[in-house]
Amino acid sequence: MRRIAVVGGSIAAVTAASWLRVRGFEGTVTLLSAETEQPYTRVPLSKTVLSGEATDASTALPPLDDSVDVRLGTRAVSLNTRARRIVIDNGEPVPYDGLVIATGGRARRLSPPGMAGEKVLRTLADCAALREDLARAHSVLVIGAGLLGMEIASTCRTLGLQVTVVDRDPPLRRVLGPVLAQVITDAAREHGVVLRTVPGGVRLVGSRTLEGVDADGDFLTADVIVSAVGDVPAVDWLTGSGLRLDRGVVTDSRGRVANDIVAAGDAAVVRGVGRRPHWTNAVEQARVAADALLGEDVAGVALPSYFWTNQFGVEVKVAGEPAGLGEPDMVDVDGSSMLLRWSAGAAATVNHTVPVRKLRQLASAT
Amino acid sequence: MTVSIELIPGRCEGHAVCEAIAPEVFRVDDDGMVQLVPDSDHDDATALAAVRSCPVAALRATS
Ligand SMILES: Cc1cc2nc3c(=O)[nH]c(=O)nc-3n(C[C@H](O)[C@H](O)[C@H](O)COP(=O)(O)OP(=O)(O)OC[C@H]3O[C@@H](n4cnc5c(N)ncnc54)[C@H](O)[C@@H]3O)c2cc1C
Ligand code: SF4
């Protein structure tokens, strides 16, 4: 293998490119990124960068070294696996011997094409635009009470806006399970957020511009309407490639998709496990996938997954996936801090400092 | 080693992504903050991969 192409411009792509060099790959590594910015982290975009506390520049990831050819503003539009060739948006073919698919996801939108007014938050540009809108606003309506929607709500409260969050499910329940979700829901209410659950889902109101939503007969609106209703894996460019797509590109436990093709991060769906659209997962999958591409016989990640959220003064760290596990088997409360453990394989802290390594070990100990 | 690593003050949130990649360079202690292992004997490429993996861009490498 002489030439490896990495398609994507964020953490999964950067880690894969770095890891190929760690493993001593000496051929050409070309990174194709649709974004015009150097790779950056999205994690602070709903938090300190949206509030203005941190600058856009502070999100830049440390640069790849010169041995990686980074091509910004370059979108892959199709893939021919037989000819081992990617075609990019200007029509140019990019040949490869090995391919890493790391195209992540883009924000899902509710409004039909052509309707203005629905804001989303996925990229630095989205963040800058939303921040500007919020600076002129008194109120915001957030559609979607998952991690992202609730973080946006929290940041908007620190900016002094009136905040309403609407979702068909109770806040955060699907991703955190009932106990952790309740802790944050209580904190959100204490911080003055209006939370609305509309089991049937909301209906958008507006024609050319989104004016608000119909929530079970109530019309909800605000100066700014932002939706945080999940992301869509960015795998459209793989349509027609023959690779298996199922809400993302399907991989085995080591990121392998097909001969000499691997995938990692938000674009990947691991067979039997699913999608884990979190930062740590993108890093770990990218390493395993790079190893697999080079034919290294390294086992997949053994530790439970890890993610976190900070909102309304509550810092939550989660190892494993407690959402489907119901009530925890152990809860240690000390003032406003908690340590929770599910013997089926998860652990979490709330405002409680435990090294993440230990938290993940605690989650895996049975 | 030729690269040296710095922490950008006030950014680390203790997510230990760096430590998972290069435990010989980074250590997240009981206070939940990263510490650089003094005089670590490390591979530069691995240390750089770890520096780039921080979700809050708290690490910097200089050569
Ligand atoms: C606002 C926000 C806050 C978040 N906060 C947290 C958090 O606190 N904790 C946590 O664990 N996770 C968080 N996440 C999730 C985390 O950021 C993602 O899991 C992570 O970014 C996934 O990385 P990725 O490289 O797989 O994909 P992405 O970050 O989606 O990057 C994909 C890259 O591929 C490029 N691309 C797409 N299509 C093409 C193409 N056809 N050709 C070339 N390039 C292409 C894109 O431009 C982009 O650069 C947050 C996400 C957002 C949006
Ligand atoms: S430096 Fe970054 S990756 Fe390392 S522990 Fe701190 S926040 Fe986590």
Side-chain angles (χ1 to χ4, degrees):
Chain A
M1 200 173 282
R2 288 185 302 115
R3 299 164 301 187
I4 295 180
V6 180
V7 186
S10 188
I11 187 59
V14 167
T15 304
S18 300
W19 208 250
L20 290 169
R21 295 302 187 214
V22 169
R23 290 300 190 206
F25 176 71
E26 286 179 351
T28 316
V29 178
T30 305
L31 187 142
L32 308 175
S33 172
E35 292 184 271
T36 47
E37 292 91 358
Q38 289 288 342
Y40 57 87
T41 167
R42 301 180 200 287
V43 168
L45 298 185
S46 48
K47 310 173 182 87
T48 48
V49 181
L50 184 60
S51 69
E53 197 186 312
T55 60
D56 289 2
S58 72
T59 63
L61 295 179
L64 285 160
D65 49 72
D66 299 341
S67 76
V68 176
D69 180 18
V70 176
R71 297 179 62 181
L72 300 176
T74 305
R75 179 178 294 278
V77 293
S78 70
L79 173 68
N80 183 331
T81 57
R82 193 156 328 139
R84 298 190 180 231
R85 198 166 55 210
I86 301 156
V87 175
I88 59 175
D89 43 7
N90 67 3
E92 186 191 322
V94 178
Y96 66 83
D97 304 313
L99 170 64
V100 181
I101 297 169
T103 43
R106 55 187 155 69
R108 188 160 86 84
R109 285 175 179 276
L110 297 172
S111 54
M115 186 192 266
E118 179 187 12
K119 305 288 176 215
V120 294
L121 179 55
R122 180 85 196 173
T123 65
L124 253 180
D126 292 339
C127 183
L130 182 59
R131 194 172 54 218
E132 230 173 80
D133 286 346
L134 293 175
R136 289 189 298 256
H138 298 290
S139 60
V140 59
L141 173 63
V142 182
I143 308 174
L147 292 171
L148 181 58
M150 293 294 282
E151 285 185 4
I152 294 171
S154 172
T155 300
C156 288
R157 282 303 298 150
T158 66
L159 295 171
L161 283 89
Q162 273 174 33
V163 182
T164 304
V165 184
V166 62
D167 195 314
R168 66 160 78 101
D169 293 318
L172 298 168
R173 195 65 80 73
R174 230 172 327 136
V175 37
L176 293 178
V179 177
L180 288 170
Q182 195 60 49
V183 171
I184 298 185
T185 303
D186 291 346
R189 288 224 171 82
E190 268 164 42
H191 280 75
V193 174
V194 177
L195 300 168
R196 284 285 308 258
T197 303
V198 183
V202 296
R203 200 173 52 78
L204 303 190
V205 177
S207 50
R208 243 180 277 164
T209 301
L210 179 63
E211 285 156 21
V213 301
D214 178 341
D216 263 352
D218 287 344
F219 178 64
L220 306 180
T221 188
D223 300 336
V224 175
I225 303 175
V226 49
S227 64
V229 290
D231 61 302
V232 186
V235 292
D236 359 359
W237 66 285
L238 299 173
T239 308
S241 67
L243 300 184
R244 220 180 121 217
L245 305 180
D246 177 15
R247 289 208 66 240
V249 58
V250 179
T251 76
D252 70 6
S253 63
R254 292 172 52 197
R256 289 174 298 199
V257 175
N259 267 347
D260 299 324
I261 302 180
V262 296
D266 286 9
V269 183
V270 181
R271 208 175 295 130
V273 177
R275 228 176 135 236
R276 288 199 176 127
H278 303 297
W279 182 273
T280 310
N281 179 60
V283 171
E284 289 171 355
Q285 279 185 338
R287 287 168 63 194
V288 171
D291 282 339
L293 188 62
L294 297 178
E296 305 242 352
D297 197 14
V298 183
V301 179
L303 281 176
S305 60
Y306 165 73
F307 66 97
W308 67 93
T309 183
N310 298 328
Q311 43 181 293
F312 305 108
V314 183
E315 205 182 282
V316 176
K317 293 184 164 155
V318 184
E321 277 160 39
L325 305 180
E327 301 279 326
D329 305 292
M330 184 208 83
V331 183
D332 241 2
V333 184
D334 180 7
S336 67
S337 103
M338 296 167 89
L339 174 65
L340 305 90
R341 179 157 179 260
W342 291 258
S343 51
T349 58
V350 177
N351 292 337
H352 181 75
T353 308
V354 168
V356 169
R357 173 178 20 93
K358 290 193 184 157
L359 186 69
R360 297 178 82 177
Q361 283 160 0
L362 186 65
S364 53
T366 43
Chain B
M1 65 164 248
T2 52
V3 297
S4 62
I5 292 154
E6 284 169 33
L7 283 173
I8 302 177
R11 284 203 195 161
C12 174
E13 297 178 358
H15 299 302
V17 189
C18 57
E19 183 195 47
I21 293 183
E24 61 284 7
V25 186
F26 304 98
R27 176 95 192 157
V28 178
D29 268 317
D30 285 343
D31 68 353
M33 293 294 145
V34 75
Q35 303 279 325
L36 298 176
V37 175
D39 306 319
S40 68
D41 183 16
H42 65 254
D43 165 54
D44 277 351
T46 309
L48 283 168
V51 162
R52 295 182 192 117
S53 75
C54 176
V56 290
L59 301 171
R60 186 160 45 206
T62 49
S63 47

